[in-house]
Amino acid sequence: MKNMLIGDQWVSASDGRTLSVVSPSDGRAFDEIPRGTAQDVDRAVQAARTSLTGAWGQLNASERGRIMMRIAQKVLDHEEELAQIEAKDTGKPMTTARNDIKVLARYFEFYAGGADKLHGETIPFLNGHQVSLLREPLGVTAHIIPWNYPAQMLGRTLAPALAMGNGTVLKPAEDTSLSAIRFAELALEAGLPAGALNIVTGLGEEVGAALSGHPGIDFISFTGSNEVGTLIQQAAAKNAVKCVLELGGKSPQIVFDDVDVERAVPIIVRAIVQNAGQTCTAGSRLLVQRSIYDSFVAKVAEAFAKVRVGTPEMDLDCGPVMNPAQHQRVQRYIDQAREQGIPVLAEGQIAADAPATGHFVKPTLFGPVPRTAALACEEVFGPVLAAMPFEDEADAIALANGTEYGLLAAVWTENAGRLHRVAKSVKAGQVFMNCYGAGGGVELPFGGTKRSGHGREKGFLALEEVSTTKTLVHYHG
Ligand code: NAP
Ligand code: MG
């Protein structure tokens, strides 16, 4: 039985209720977390507010950075333990989980260095005046994250907010709260003052709704579904606070006829099967120039058929999907595409000894997928790749931009002019050229266009999102 963190107290829910923690690999419950309440959220927001005038708020920027660097080191010192917690909770392969913990440490390291480097300026103004622009924290920041990369997500959203001196409240996903709880213990051991970080576990419609609608918060960072993203923006609007929304994607791999095939194929396969396709930046559409469509897609199919799915300990290419709802959702997309007569070009294999009660899905490559099919337009959030031919550069751009999303894209061609023309024409927050980078990339500003959301995380820009300015005008004669 785990507790959650409010101020410096590890507490159960105010009404004592709990939620089971279930393993996606075998469907069995193995732990419990508090099912937090609106009252718990209220206490967490107050603790975060109090921290701003307490020990946390009194630290100078370099001291904040030093504590964050110690947190990064603590995470690295506990990499194996945290990776095992994460793998058990999410079902992901151990190698992936270890990488996620390294990325979590990297977020704290990167933003530790940023804590004392984003600062104000002086502004020339009227004679007899001195104007200075101060850089300040927003205040209490709320962070609501999903279950696909729990450790990475908490680093991505919390590290810049802490670097800028905010008091934070985190609501992890109900399915995956364990790494956040262990992380918070380590953060306190590393010297993070009480109240700088609060964690309230529980349900989205209870804790998430109470937190995002709380009048005491100054900012919301949300990653998750478009449906909930809309609710978050409404809640933010009511309190007139800013929100950063990182929502879904349907990211295209745009492959021209002069592609370096040997280099591209494994990267394209990994970009969709990584984390069982449960990645907002998954490369879920494979757009291939018609002249090489058959031969290129055949190569991808060959690699795709070798993908192996299993438990964390088996440490194969990917694990199960998160929960029964996700299992049904992904399977429904696969079944419907088959019923529509869309050809299956390749399937990965589920390990024979994977538990029958686990949420395992066969990675599936479909093609050619009609441009109007659900698979061509909607986010599956599973290991399902939709291949489609295009005619020329203009058609590739139109097809790439033809969904409501705009998160990531990749362009594959040896023609430098075409590489840049297409990259500039594609609507996306990040465009990879002859490479792909789902996850990681702590240094690289990241976020959506169109329905993929707004605001930027990662990189230096994230520090601006979670801070504000104050203009001081002094008449000195
Ligand atoms: P979700 O419901 O949007 O969950 C994201 C976070 O929001 C979770 O912490 C969730 O809590 C919380 N939440 C849920 N309802 C809320 C509400 N009314 N107010 C405030 N917070 C709320 O996403 P999901 O249920 O985990 O997954 C559903 C679909 O979203 C997936 O199939 C996938 O398509 C998409 N998704 C996208 C991303 C991404 O990175 N872009 C990540 C995950 C999922 P609970 O955990 O308690 O629900
Ligand atoms: Mg949910």
Side-chain angles (χ1 to χ4, degrees), residues 226 247-251 279-282 284 378-380 405-407 452:
N226 283 65
L247 310 175
K250 191 73 185 174
S251 301
T279 307
C280 47
T281 51
S284 54
E378 297 173 19
E379 182 179 54
V380 177
Y405 295 111
L407 196 54
S452 291

Side-chain angles (χ1 to χ4, degrees), residues 261-272:
V261 177
E262 298 311 313
R263 179 175 160 71
V265 168
I267 295 176
I268 286 171
V269 173
R270 196 165 59 246
I272 183 64

Side-chain angles (χ1 to χ4, degrees), residues 147 173-175 204-205 225 228 323:
W147 39 253
E174 68 192 72
D175 286 318
E205 49 279 31
S225 63
V228 178
N323 53 35

Side-chain angles (χ1 to χ4, degrees), residues 144-148 153 171-175 202-205 208-209 212 222-225 228 231-232 246-248 280 326 329 379 381:
I144 300 176
I145 59 174
W147 39 253
N148 53 349
M153 291 286 171
K171 183 236 169 289
E174 68 192 72
D175 286 318
L203 300 180
E205 49 279 31
S212 55
F222 172 80
T223 299
S225 63
V228 178
L231 298 177
I232 298 292
E246 204 270 276
L247 310 175
C280 47
Q326 196 62 20
R329 174 193 163 94
E379 182 179 54
F381 225 60

Side-chain angles (χ1 to χ4, degrees), residues 352-426:
D353 48 347
T357 46
H359 303 304
F360 298 98
V361 178
K362 268 191 183 176
T364 311
L365 170 63
F366 285 96
V369 175
R371 292 184 179 197
T372 52
L375 263 196
C377 315
E378 297 173 19
E379 182 179 54
V380 177
F381 225 60
V384 182
L385 180 57
M388 286 171 267
F390 67 81
E391 306 303 330
D392 53 20
E393 213 173 291
D395 190 35
I397 292 164
L399 185 56
N401 289 338
T403 74
E404 60 181 12
Y405 295 111
L407 196 54
L408 244 72
V411 191
W412 298 89
T413 172
E414 295 297 299
N415 176 327
R418 181 154 69 184
L419 201 54
H420 284 273
R421 278 194 305 274
V422 176
K424 284 181 179 171
S425 303
V426 168

